[in-house]
Amino acid sequence: FSIELSGAYAPIKNFLKIVLGLSFLIWFFLVIIFILTDPYNIIFNKNSKVYFSDNINTSILAKKLEIEKYSIIFGTSRSHQIQYDNSETKILNFSGSLYGNSLNVLNFLDQLNEKQTSNIVNIYYLVDDHILNGYDKNDPYSKYKKQDYLENAYLSKIKFFLFLDINKVKNIFKGIKYNILKDSGYYINNTGSLIRNNKNEFVEKPKEFKKMATSQLYTNDGIDALIKINKFCEKNNITIRYFTPTHMMQYAKLFDTNIMQKVWTKLFDGGIKEFYALWYVSEVSDYIKDDKYVAFKDLAHLNEYYNHKLFIDNVVNRDTKYLIKDKFELNKYIENNKNYFK
């Protein structure tokens, strides 16, 4: 009876062997294609790839700090297009890989070795509306992720390539399509910045605007982390400049100035000395021509031209028009600009 039972299971065993064998061959084939196409720009360090990930690319960018000096951009998709500060020092842009959550940035800075830290010339930090959310997971973009950014580069690359998921497989084909057709509209360069094919994109003025793309979020953990980042920079003699995103006129109307005031009052009390309040910039936020916002590529982001223009004119060149240096100036700014906000 046992012999007959064993014989009955033989076809199932053979079927499972075939399935496992085919699965291995498919996985092996995809891994090879993944390595050759390198859609995440991990191996070849070129400017021609479209897609990017988080910890693996953060590690690759951090590795560059061991070789030469850079200025750093921390932020979100609203600072991802920044590529230079008009100086001879190159920019490393961590906006797309690390994202701006202050706990992530603090964790990253604390992992840097002495050489890497000494090679940071300036830090430009976009304090976006939702990056002080700390451990709060409600925001779909700004989430804390404790990671080892200085893991052995070769080991991290091997692990990244061997453990495939559906998104990685999709990006294999997207990467192939981009490199053949060159139709993506943008790419990520080898220092982390997003480069648009069209630097002067615009967006139709919406008839109504009821919801912000990213809410005004903050927690005490998020605020404390930014204060610790500030102390890190003071300790290591790194110049850090904080600036806010710029919004279109209708978007700014949804802003709660009470939250704005609470957050920056806490940051001033914690030792932060100044920031550039660029939430609403005249002739940019309200620049409408033929029912189009000329300075914005979509409802939540400046186009590349104005992204750089505001960054260089205000943050890099230290224009005092939007510079806030204490709680008194903050209150004055809110009072003078209250008509622009909610």
Side-chain angles (χ1 to χ4, degrees):
F1 177 76
S2 61
I3 294 173
E4 291 178 0
L5 192 63
S6 175
Y9 278 112
I12 296 175
K13 287 182 178 178
N14 290 333
F15 174 75
L16 289 175
K17 286 180 181 178
I18 292 171
V19 169
L20 290 173
L22 286 173
S23 298
F24 174 79
L25 288 175
I26 292 170
W27 169 83
F28 182 75
F29 173 76
L30 288 174
V31 169
I32 296 299
I33 297 298
F34 193 43
I35 292 171
L36 292 176
T37 57
D38 189 24
Y40 291 85
N41 197 14
I42 290 170
I43 298 175
F44 301 117
N45 197 33
K46 295 179 180 177
N47 290 349
S48 59
K49 308 301 177 182
V50 186
Y51 298 94
F52 57 98
S53 64
D54 42 42
N55 63 316
I56 183 75
N57 288 73
T58 299
S59 300
I60 290 170
L61 292 179
K63 203 74 178 173
K64 294 177 182 291
L65 283 170
E66 294 185 347
I67 302 169
E68 59 183 309
K69 291 185 177 294
Y70 288 91
S71 288
I72 286 178
I73 303 285
F74 290 127
T76 66
S77 57
R78 293 180 173 124
S79 55
H80 199 189
Q81 299 177 103
I82 297 173
Q83 304 153 34
Y84 51 81
D85 65 358
N86 282 359
S87 73
E88 294 182 0
T89 305
K90 295 178 184 176
I91 290 282
L92 286 181
N93 195 325
F94 289 88
S95 300
S97 59
L98 183 62
Y99 214 73
N101 182 297
S102 54
L103 283 170
N104 286 341
V105 174
L106 178 63
N107 180 29
F108 170 76
L109 290 174
D110 283 342
Q111 290 184 39
L112 297 180
N113 59 41
E114 188 175 338
K115 178 67 173 176
Q116 290 169 310
T117 302
S118 66
N119 273 339
I120 299 175
V121 178
N122 299 297
I123 293 177
Y124 302 106
Y125 201 145
L126 173 74
V127 184
D128 211 331
D129 313 316
H130 57 304
I131 60 95
L132 298 178
N133 62 321
Y135 295 103
D136 186 346
K137 300 287 186 181
N138 289 323
D139 185 82
Y141 308 105
S142 181
K143 294 183 179 180
Y144 172 66
K145 309 175 289 258
K146 186 171 177 60
Q147 295 175 339
D148 181 1
Y149 297 110
L150 302 185
E151 182 181 27
N152 180 278
Y154 293 108
L155 178 62
S156 62
K157 287 179 183 180
I158 290 170
K159 285 165 58 178
F160 188 79
F161 282 120
L162 290 182
F163 293 100
L164 294 177
D165 58 36
I166 189 64
N167 288 326
K168 291 179 182 177
V169 173
K170 286 180 180 178
N171 284 342
I172 291 174
F173 297 101
K174 288 178 181 176
I176 291 172
K177 180 183 176 183
Y178 167 72
N179 282 295
I180 292 174
L181 302 178
K182 301 290 184 185
D183 67 343
S184 79
Y186 69 93
Y187 63 87
I188 312 299
N189 72 7
N190 62 7
T191 52
S193 297
L194 187 150
I195 316 297
R196 309 289 304 187
N197 289 351
N198 181 359
K199 302 182 190 310
N200 295 290
E201 296 167 286
F202 53 82
V203 64
E204 296 283 341
K205 178 186 175 185
K207 292 181 180 179
E208 56 181 349
F209 211 122
K210 293 183 177 180
K211 186 179 179 182
M212 301 165 69
T214 51
S215 301
Q216 290 172 272
L217 297 175
Y218 74 96
T219 65
N220 288 331
D221 293 322
I223 288 173
D224 289 344
L226 193 63
I227 290 169
K228 288 177 181 176
I229 290 167
N230 198 64
K231 291 177 179 176
F232 172 93
C233 292
E234 289 177 347
K235 178 183 176 183
N236 292 284
N237 297 314
I238 298 171
T239 299
I240 183 166
R241 299 181 192 176
Y242 305 98
F243 62 107
T244 73
T246 301
H247 299 300
M248 60 177 58
M249 181 172 57
Q250 289 168 279
Y251 195 111
K253 274 290 184 183
L254 302 177
F255 258 67
D256 187 336
T257 54
N258 291 322
I259 295 177
M260 188 189 297
Q261 189 172 36
K262 284 178 185 177
V263 168
W264 285 99
T265 296
K266 287 175 179 285
L267 291 171
F268 279 130
D269 287 342
I272 288 178
K273 294 180 173 60
E274 61 184 33
F275 76 101
Y276 295 88
L278 303 177
W279 291 292
Y280 189 99
V281 177
S282 297
E283 299 181 2
V284 175
S285 298
D286 55 356
Y287 186 9
I288 299 172
K289 184 178 180 181
D290 298 328
D291 271 344
K292 297 176 179 63
Y293 279 101
V294 176
F296 292 82
K297 71 181 184 68
D298 57 40
L299 299 182
H301 301 87
L302 290 164
N303 63 34
E304 187 176 313
Y305 172 79
Y306 277 95
N307 212 166
H308 271 105
K309 178 175 173 54
L310 290 181
F311 173 67
I312 299 295
D313 289 352
N314 296 279
V315 184
V316 176
N317 293 340
R318 297 186 56 80
D319 190 334
T320 58
K321 182 177 181 180
Y322 297 101
L323 181 63
I324 310 294
K325 293 188 284 188
D326 54 40
K327 290 184 285 186
F328 172 78
E329 290 189 1
L330 173 64
N331 295 336
K332 183 179 178 182
Y333 168 86
I334 292 173
E335 178 62 27
N336 291 343
N337 294 277
K338 61 185 179 182
N339 292 334
Y340 299 137
F341 305 111
K342 184 163 70 173

